[in-house]
Amino acid sequence: MFNKSFFLLLLSLISGSGLFSQIRISADFDSGSIGSYKLIDSVWFFRNSNDSLLTLSYEIESRFDPLNPVDTSLRPSARWYHFRMEGVKGKHIFLNIKNSEAIRPVYSYDGVNFQRFETVENIYRGSVNKIFERDTVYISHFVPYPYSRHKAKLKEWKAVDGVLHEVIGHSSLGLPIEMLTVTDNSVSDVGKKRVWIHGRSHPSETPASWHLEAMIEEILSDSPFAKELRRNTIFYLVPFINPDGVKGGYSRSSSTGVNIEINWDRPDSLTMPEVKTLKATLERVTKEKPLDLLLNMHSQISSSVTYWIHTAESTTADFLKEQQLLSALTINYTPFYRPQDQSFSAMAPRYAEGWVWDRFGEKTLAITFETPYTYYNQDKDGPWVSVENLAQLGYSTLLAVSDLLDLDKENRIIADTDDNRVSKRNWEVSYDPSSIFFGDTFLVSKKEGSSLKYKLNLKKGVYTLYCWKVGPTAESYPAETNRWVKRAKVIQRRDGNFTYRIKSTNPGEKADAILLVKEFE
Ligand SMILES: [Zn+2]
């Protein structure tokens, strides 16, 4: 048998002769990305000759996007990293990840099923350490949503009855940019609302794709809600507007280095093919009628969900009110978004939203939605972002969109005080957009005890009735305002008239829409 010093000598000989080089690092696959890497230290820990542990420390440089040729003053991003390490089983691997964040990033042994590094494996800012259980591991900033997943989902989705699939253009490298048009073709398009959703201009922002995927899955599902959405809406869905960027593992640019998110106000010669494609398609689908809503799906490094709400100064007070209604409805339906997380910015022509605003103004609510990579509500002790809770958020987002545009007239019936069937004696009609309300007006009670009657036609069934609590259009507001407040359970025994009365408890009390949500056994 060897004695201990001989064993140590042997090990140092093995290590010197390339044992460490048995770890291979690569990123030459769909959505893969790494800049450079180097081994900076290696240490053996011994307990006895049969129990030793090799610790290897690597410095990983996340790869920068190419310099933006349209605007060379912009600093390229290196947020996205997604690489494979082979030969790691049983070794203690330390990674110091540079040029990007490493806040509990994710790993996978099969390149498909990812999980977060635990807090104890991410003690030092920017670093992870773990003893891996398998020989091959994939490490990434967040759960990847590669080009192959997009193609696989498209294949499923375009096979659904009634879905129109089109290649609307091609990327710089010639990949197709694909759009699904979804509606109930048995219902006339006249009177349908039009909703456009696109995503992934920024390739690193994979949470946005998981969020959008869940929305599309619901839109295409057989649920009573989805069927109603399709009866009342034409959806234009472009999940991947930057396929080159995603496939090539870029962070914020396409393969050319151009950030296509801010490429909407350039002359033709400096407009990327992806943006040209979107402009041409938007022009085509809005020929008859403007869109009602355009959602631009993104993810942000800030640990909260938000819309980028355009200020009244850069749009109008009514437009701000409408955006805040969408935001408030979304807050209403999810625990992952709070009034204080709302973000505000000026409308600008370099973005898709600005391009739409210049053409259609208030008619189209065009807005960016942001999901975080890390956790929600700025609370690291709360839930961390996962594919599962992004899917829940997707459903919540659709509920908000449905209420905003009144898309489900069967299971989620909205009766607004704008409606003539609401009897409103002793109530003053208000148009004041410094409050958040449905439609064009809300009501203010003139005296204590003013009564208000909502009359509507209601199908047989059991419903929960909510009243909209009118609050201020403010950067933040108390969570109990600007939301649906549960008021009653309604049992409608047969199809026909339904009346709901409220009475004000003080003058100045505000009243707006009611919502009846059908219950299913
Ligand atoms: Zn983005």
Side-chain angles (χ1 to χ4, degrees), residues 201-202 204-205 252 259 261 297-300 368 370 373:
S201 68
H202 292 145
S204 68
E205 298 173 7
R252 289 175 74 76
N259 175 356
E261 183 64 15
M297 309 310 255
H298 285 257
S299 298
Q300 62 175 3
T368 285
E370 301 271 4
Y373 295 88

Side-chain angles (χ1 to χ4, degrees), residues 175-428:
L175 291 176
I177 298 170
E178 297 170 79
M179 178 167 85
L180 303 174
T181 304
V182 180
T183 190
D184 183 337
N185 295 308
S186 72
V187 177
S188 155
D189 287 348
V190 178
K192 279 178 182 165
K193 295 281 167 61
R194 286 144 203 254
V195 174
W196 170 289
I197 313 177
H198 71 232
R200 218 57 193 287
S201 68
H202 292 145
S204 68
E205 298 173 7
T206 63
S209 278
W210 292 107
H211 177 229
L212 177 53
E213 179 185 297
M215 290 177 74
I216 298 175
E217 293 271 332
E218 178 59 31
I219 288 167
L220 292 175
S221 80
D222 283 331
S223 74
F225 174 52
K227 284 179 182 164
E228 262 298 290
L229 290 181
R230 297 195 298 268
R231 267 196 281 275
N232 298 307
T233 322
I234 307 173
F235 290 99
Y236 303 102
L237 308 167
V238 193
F240 261 43
I241 67 170
N242 182 5
D244 292 357
V246 172
K247 199 172 180 192
Y250 294 89
S251 289
R252 289 175 74 76
S253 77
S254 75
S255 58
T256 59
V258 175
N259 175 356
I260 63 167
E261 183 64 15
I262 52 169
N263 187 237
W264 288 70
D265 62 341
R266 296 291 174 168
D268 255 18
S269 59
L270 295 177
T271 303
M272 293 298 109
E274 295 84 356
V275 175
K276 280 183 181 162
T277 295
L278 293 172
K279 285 183 178 178
T281 310
L282 282 164
E283 269 162 6
R284 169 162 66 91
V285 304
T286 56
K287 213 164 246 163
E288 289 170 29
K289 234 181 119 185
L291 299 167
D292 294 282
L293 178 68
L294 180 148
L295 289 179
N296 181 4
M297 309 310 255
H298 285 257
S299 298
Q300 62 175 3
I301 206 62
S302 181
S303 297
S304 56
V305 166
T306 198
Y307 287 95
W308 279 101
I309 299 168
H310 305 99
T311 57
E313 294 70 34
S314 64
T315 59
T316 65
D318 286 337
F319 193 69
L320 172 66
K321 184 279 275 185
E322 210 58 18
Q323 296 173 87
Q324 285 231 281
L325 178 58
L326 174 63
S327 175
L329 284 163
T330 311
I331 290 167
N332 180 92
Y333 287 117
T334 176
F336 304 134
Y337 180 29
R338 307 172 302 172
Q340 62 265 44
D341 296 329
Q342 296 183 110
S343 301
F344 296 81
S345 69
M347 186 69 89
R350 63 182 178 278
Y351 299 105
E353 289 89 339
W355 188 86
V356 170
W357 174 259
D358 288 342
R359 275 152 191 80
F360 304 108
E362 287 178 351
K363 294 192 187 95
T364 305
L365 200 174
I367 197 163
T368 285
F369 192 87
E370 301 271 4
T371 44
Y373 295 88
T374 49
Y375 38 84
Y376 297 101
N377 308 331
Q378 313 281 1
D379 176 13
K380 67 181 184 332
D381 299 322
W384 283 66
V385 178
S386 68
V387 167
E388 292 74 26
N389 56 39
L390 286 166
Q392 291 168 25
L393 183 62
Y395 187 69
S396 307
T397 311
L398 267 188
L399 291 176
V401 167
S402 172
D403 287 3
L404 178 81
L405 300 176
D406 194 13
L407 300 180
D408 182 349
K409 299 172 201 301
E410 276 289 313
N411 319 293
R412 313 178 54 76
I413 300 118
I414 294 177
D416 190 11
T417 49
D418 289 7
D419 196 299
N420 292 329
R421 289 170 301 176
V422 176
S423 88
K424 38 203 165 196
R425 262 190 310 138
N426 293 319
W427 292 79
E428 198 174 330

Side-chain angles (χ1 to χ4, degrees), residues 427-465:
W427 292 79
E428 198 174 330
V429 178
S430 175
Y431 302 84
D432 182 3
S434 66
S435 290
I436 302 181
F437 55 91
F438 281 79
D440 299 326
T441 67
F442 63 101
L443 301 178
V444 183
S445 164
K446 288 183 190 162
K447 57 175 199 177
E448 188 192 315
S450 302
S451 82
L452 190 58
K453 236 193 287 180
Y454 298 82
K455 285 171 268 182
L456 57 147
N457 236 303
L458 194 63
K459 284 195 177 152
K460 180 180 170 212
V462 178
Y463 300 84
T464 308
L465 187 149

